[in-house]
Amino acid sequence: MKFARDTWLIFQRQFQLLLRNPVWLFVGVFQPVMYLLLFAPLLKAALNAPTQAAAYKIFVPGLLVLLAIFGGLFQGFGLIAELRAGVIERSRVTPVSRLALLLGRSLRDVVSLIAQAIIITLLALLFDLRVFIGYLLLAYLMLALIALMTSAVSYGVALKVKSEDALAPLMNTVAQPVLLLSGILLPLALAPGWLQGIANWNPFSWAVDGVRALFAGDLSNDKVWQGLTIIAVLAVAGVVWAARQFARSVR
Amino acid sequence: MIETRGLRKSFRSRAGRETKTVDAVRGVNLDVAEGEIFGFLGPNGAGKTTTLRMLATLIEPDGGEATIAGADLRKDPAEVRRRIGYVAQGGSTWDESTAREELVLHARLYGIGKAEAHRRAARALDAFQLSDYADRKCKTYSGGQRRRVEIALGIIHEPKIVFLDEPTTGLDPQSRAHMWDEIRRLRAEGMTVFITTHYLDEADALCDRIAIMDHGEVVAEGTPAELKREISGEVVIVGLDAPATPRAAELLDTEAYVNKLETVDEGGLRLYVDEGATAIPQVLRRLDGAGLDLRSIELHRPSLDDVFLTKTGRSLRES
Ligand SMILES: Nc1ncnc2c1ncn2[C@@H]1O[C@H](COP(=O)(O)OP(=O)(O)O)[C@@H](O)[C@H]1O
Ligand SMILES: [Mg+2]
């Protein structure tokens, strides 16, 4: 009860501050829309897709997972600013739940990601993308879990390194192979065997496959529940680890 | 109200390849009474902030124990958190939030309900004369206004004890005087106030009792008056022309109230006495009687800096 209340308080505050800065929303939507309009048309030819809608069925899931990963991974920067302003230390002298300090923030990131995802999905509908609503919600669940994990990890790492200068290269180094080995931009089905072998070790590759299956209306595909399970386990682990950093972090 | 025994903390820091251990706090014993303004005086790096952060449950001590407002620091940090307020040295407000938002949120983090949190925020804004800017973003505040918001945050849940880490550092003289009034007001409301400072005058004028800290250790503790009384007594400085000095020294050296006498190189004397106020008229009479002209006479009362000097061998002003 106290925990839920604490989480809500932190979430509310963070969300309010986010809304106060509409530039963010613009940037967060503008970029993916550019991908949708300027990159996706190339795909129809590259993927040998019969129609533009078929190309979108492959590309949009990848784009959404990409947003979830990056949206989360770079949240740590905001936390370092809060750390420097003394806001975290001020929270930590109160009896507020440490897990709530993390979860309130990560939930804000999840909500803003889902908002982005909805806008992009709606746009894709204009290009004749069609997805069954139930499957779409499952796909959003996957996205939410990804954002929860990446933002929690980003917060945890931020509390450990305590400086933007260390966080930026670290996150970029992690993000790049994760991105390349997940088949986000192009399906890994096109990749040579050895590359697929490595990609099997990348949890996001499972997530992308799962979301693509959902967009294709293929609920019976094992990748759906496998992806969800892998990401859910990782999200819980990430949250537990990051909350521990909140409990013992120093300035 | 606060009792600590052997509180210790070391930090390991890495400089290149080497790891260095800094013993920031090495066994601090303190007894702070209810309702007093207790001052922690010491130069930068003395370990004041580290001690405070341990007492505020922000970092775990390496050793020792403490009881704070009746709660055991090691066994029940959650209860300690409920009973204390803490205002950090470097600030704690968010640029994009308003003072009211910060106060309401902070109160709610202590478990206070929404309506009550708003009432308390309004009351605090009023008490700290912040009502006019309550709904402006914190980044628009002056240093003094911002510091007042931070103190208001520290006491929004009406704690028994509030820790203020260097509450006046960086403030202009007027804001500083204002802050002293605020701190005295907290005491008047029955709160125990624990402040750290590296200003001698602040420790002297504001604090009921002080502990002087240096290199992680408390080197002296008492009321400012007690501490000053403990050392040397007072000094009467007599300004004389060089030729007259030896004769005056001869005359005054035999006086009973002069504990010790030193000659100043360019002429003049330093007389160590117990009480300057009664010594001065006698010195004047003696010299006048002997027909010696004196250029000046001044009384030097020991300051907390003299206390610091005797205890550590350094002046706080220089460190
Ligand atoms: N987190 C930390 N890591 C490493 N060293 C620290 C840390 N915090 C404080 N110190 C060191 O401990 C000593 C005491 O610091 P501090 O308590 O901040 O002193 P003060 O508040 O009296 O200026 C200093 O030498 C400081 O460099
Ligand atoms: Mg300090």
Side-chain angles (χ1 to χ4, degrees):
Chain A
M1 189 53 217
K2 171 178 180 297
F3 164 69
R5 178 181 179 277
D6 286 353
T7 306
W8 172 245
L9 285 173
I10 301 294
F11 170 80
Q12 224 182 356
R13 141 105 166 192
Q14 295 296 330
F15 202 68
Q16 198 178 23
L17 290 173
L18 185 71
L19 291 182
R20 204 166 285 177
N21 189 5
V23 175
W24 174 90
L25 201 66
F26 178 72
V27 174
V29 172
F30 184 75
Q31 276 190 357
V33 167
M34 285 297 112
Y35 267 99
L36 212 54
L37 298 180
L38 304 180
F39 185 71
L42 298 174
L43 282 173
K44 183 171 171 256
L47 295 171
N48 256 333
T51 60
Q52 187 66 39
Y56 272 135
K57 265 197 186 347
I58 295 171
F59 178 67
V60 171
L63 182 62
L64 293 177
V65 171
L66 175 85
L67 287 174
I69 295 175
F70 279 82
L73 275 186
F74 289 90
Q75 296 296 344
F77 288 100
L79 187 69
I80 289 175
E82 287 191 279
L83 208 57
R84 196 162 294 137
V87 174
I88 303 300
E89 181 138 305
R90 189 184 102 203
S91 312
R92 291 180 65 246
V93 289
T94 73
V96 69
S97 149
R98 277 40 186 161
L99 180 56
L101 287 179
L102 169 77
L103 217 53
R105 289 180 167 78
S106 283
L107 287 180
R108 184 257 334 246
D109 305 335
V110 167
V111 169
S112 69
L113 169 84
I114 295 298
Q116 257 179 303
I118 290 173
I119 294 173
I120 289 161
T121 315
L122 289 176
L123 273 171
L125 289 182
L126 296 180
F127 293 94
D128 294 329
L129 176 79
R130 292 292 174 267
V131 193
F132 175 58
I133 183 82
Y135 296 174
L136 187 63
L137 291 178
L138 263 183
Y140 284 176
L141 174 64
M142 181 93 83
L143 295 177
L145 288 170
I146 293 173
L148 181 64
M149 164 177 51
T150 53
S151 91
V153 166
S154 181
Y155 288 137
V157 172
L159 289 177
K160 268 208 159 336
V161 302
K162 301 183 188 76
S163 105
E164 285 98 343
D165 297 344
L167 189 64
L170 204 62
M171 286 301 147
N172 278 321
T173 314
V174 174
Q176 200 179 33
V178 159
L179 180 62
L180 293 176
L181 289 173
S182 62
I184 280 177
L185 296 175
L186 291 172
L188 281 163
L190 303 173
W194 62 270
L195 198 55
Q196 292 186 18
I198 304 179
N200 273 337
W201 290 95
N202 181 354
F204 297 109
S205 153
W206 295 75
V208 176
D209 286 348
V211 178
R212 284 211 173 108
L214 286 166
F215 269 63
D218 183 11
L219 189 60
S220 57
N221 193 326
D222 287 344
K223 286 287 173 73
V224 173
W225 67 264
Q226 286 167 343
L228 276 171
T229 312
I230 292 173
I231 298 294
V233 168
L234 288 175
V236 170
V239 165
V240 169
W241 174 76
R244 283 241 289 276
Q245 305 308 312
F246 269 93
R248 66 150 172 249
S249 82
V250 275
R251 280 180 293 186
Chain B
M1 212 53 179
I2 303 173
E3 194 186 306
T4 77
R5 290 294 170 261
L7 219 49
R8 282 190 295 113
K9 183 75 193 179
S10 314
F11 291 108
R12 242 186 303 273
S13 60
R14 231 186 336 215
R17 287 274 176 78
E18 289 169 72
T19 45
K20 262 193 327 193
T21 308
V22 182
D23 294 321
V25 177
R26 344 173 167 211
V28 162
N29 303 329
L30 291 173
D31 291 279
V32 178
E34 184 164 1
E36 69 180 357
I37 300 178
F38 188 87
F40 223 17
L41 174 69
N44 278 325
K48 304 183 297 293
T49 298
T50 305
T51 308
L52 238 59
R53 295 182 78 235
M54 283 194 280
L55 296 178
T57 76
L58 288 167
I59 44 175
E60 217 173 313
D62 291 338
E65 47 208 64
T67 315
I68 297 155
D72 189 299
L73 180 66
R74 306 301 286 272
K75 295 201 193 87
D76 199 0
E79 190 52 41
V80 172
R81 281 182 200 126
R82 252 168 246 130
R83 297 182 188 187
I84 63 158
Y86 170 79
V87 180
Q89 186 174 354
S92 63
T93 42
W94 187 241
D95 275 354
E96 301 296 324
S97 293
T98 71
R100 191 189 307 278
E101 285 167 350
E102 292 285 48
L103 287 163
V104 170
L105 173 73
H106 204 61
R108 301 209 64 199
L109 291 183
Y110 279 102
I112 296 167
K114 194 171 181 177
E116 174 64 13
H118 276 277
R119 263 197 300 279
R120 287 198 191 194
R123 219 183 309 143
L125 289 165
D126 200 38
F128 283 90
Q129 290 145 49
L130 291 160
S131 299
D132 290 350
Y133 352 92
D135 299 304
R136 247 168 46 188
K137 289 184 181 176
C138 289
K139 66 180 171 197
T140 66
Y141 295 172
S142 74
Q145 289 165 352
R146 204 156 175 159
R147 203 66 63 92
R148 295 209 302 278
V149 176
E150 277 152 10
I151 308 241
L153 285 167
I155 59 160
I156 194 80
H157 57 301
E158 298 174 353
K160 294 197 168 71
I161 301 174
V162 62
F163 295 96
L164 308 176
D165 200 358
E166 311 224 358
T168 67
T169 299
L171 296 187
D172 58 78
Q174 198 190 340
S175 307
R176 215 164 145 234
H178 194 146
M179 187 58 70
W180 285 8
D181 289 340
E182 303 287 1
I183 293 172
R184 290 192 181 106
R185 184 168 59 79
L186 298 183
R187 176 182 56 189
E189 287 169 9
M191 224 174 279
T192 306
V193 187
F194 190 137
I195 74 164
T196 74
T197 180
H198 62 263
Y199 295 123
L200 294 156
D201 58 335
E202 184 161 279
D204 211 343
L206 183 63
C207 300
D208 299 317
R209 248 154 32 81
I210 60 174
I212 296 181
M213 192 162 197
D214 191 38
H215 293 307
E217 283 170 317
V218 172
V219 294
E221 192 187 332
T223 67
E226 273 166 16
L227 289 171
K228 287 183 279 188
R229 212 176 304 131
E230 252 175 47
I231 60 158
S232 77
E234 300 179 345
V235 185
V236 176
I237 300 161
V238 187
L240 292 158
D241 289 329
T245 303
R247 173 86 181 108
E250 207 176 293
L251 283 172
L252 292 172
D253 208 11
T254 53
E255 296 289 305
Y257 56 86
V258 177
N259 298 333
K260 197 172 122 201
L261 178 147
E262 282 171 6
T263 317
V264 181
D265 286 343
E266 56 274 25
L269 299 169
R270 289 172 68 86
L271 310 174
Y272 292 84
V273 301
D274 289 333
E275 217 181 318
T278 57
I280 284 176
Q282 302 183 61
V283 173
L284 289 176
R285 249 190 321 257
R286 196 81 184 86
L287 294 181
D288 205 33
L292 290 167
D293 279 338
L294 81 173
R295 275 191 286 119
S296 64
I297 188 156
E298 75 187 80
L299 174 61
H300 178 77
R301 292 206 161 92
S303 67
L304 283 179
D305 201 26
D306 296 317
V307 178
F308 192 82
L309 185 68
T310 12
K311 299 285 181 186
T312 68
R314 287 175 295 121
S315 163
L316 184 54
R317 283 184 215 287
E318 290 155 13
S319 50

